[in-house]
Amino acid sequence: GPGCLIEEMGGANFFVLGREGDELVLRTPASMQESDEADPILPGVTRDTVLEIARSLGINVQVDQISLARLMEMSDADARATAVFTTGTAAGIAPVVALLDGDRVRHFAVWDNVDDDVRHRHLTADPVTPGSALETGKTIRTLLFRSQLGDHAGIKRVAGDRADGLLEKLAGWVESFEI
């Protein structure tokens, strides 16, 4: 309802990545480590890694409140140009393609094609345009996955000239392992 703030979703950290003016901004609520008033928000290595990846890509990271009303009031076009996702240890990055508030639905960028007859879900991914929130969200997801695998070559391929700084920052947080 009015004044509701999004904190977490099912124990997963919540993120909104969208264009504000000329820049991409990644928003997430503060965790307990960042604010005494953030009791319900759990800190986490996956959340911290996503924030570090975003900063390394030059994205403006804002740790602050996210208003459900603000998201629900977005135009359809702005919402479809916004990448919304959650993070968690097991899930990595899980895209959120819609939020419900009572009988209102707000649809956000669709990251991937989904063709699941059993669950009656059929989605067509939105086009990925250079510099868009969707392209950047997918890049963050790829870099998170590559870092979880300890794939330094893959990180260098995806992050280019920003890879060395990113690898240095991630070294203390993510344990490398081989499959």
Side-chain angles (χ1 to χ4, degrees), residues 1-6 14 65-75 79 99-101 104 106 108:
C4 287
L5 300 176
I6 296 175
F14 186 79
Q65 297 177 336
I66 298 174
S67 160
L68 177 59
R70 183 169 169 253
L71 293 176
M72 296 306 289
E73 290 165 4
M74 295 175 90
S75 71
L99 288 176
L100 306 173
D101 183 22
R104 296 186 308 161
R106 174 57 58 225
F108 299 99

Side-chain angles (χ1 to χ4, degrees), residues 106-122:
R106 174 57 58 225
H107 294 277
F108 299 99
V110 177
W111 294 44
D112 304 294
N113 290 330
V114 175
D115 193 11
D116 187 342
D117 287 330
V118 174
R119 296 171 70 194
H120 306 288
R121 292 188 182 167
H122 301 280

Side-chain angles (χ1 to χ4, degrees), residues 5-7 14-16 20 25-31 34-35 38 41 47 51 55 60-67 70:
L5 300 176
I6 296 175
E7 294 173 338
F14 186 79
F15 295 83
V16 176
E20 295 182 22
V25 177
L26 178 66
R27 294 188 181 281
T28 190
S31 75
E34 295 157 333
S35 169
I41 310 298
R47 177 184 180 277
L51 294 177
R55 287 183 184 110
N60 178 347
V61 172
Q62 296 292 318
V63 177
D64 60 10
Q65 297 177 336
I66 298 174
S67 160
R70 183 169 169 253

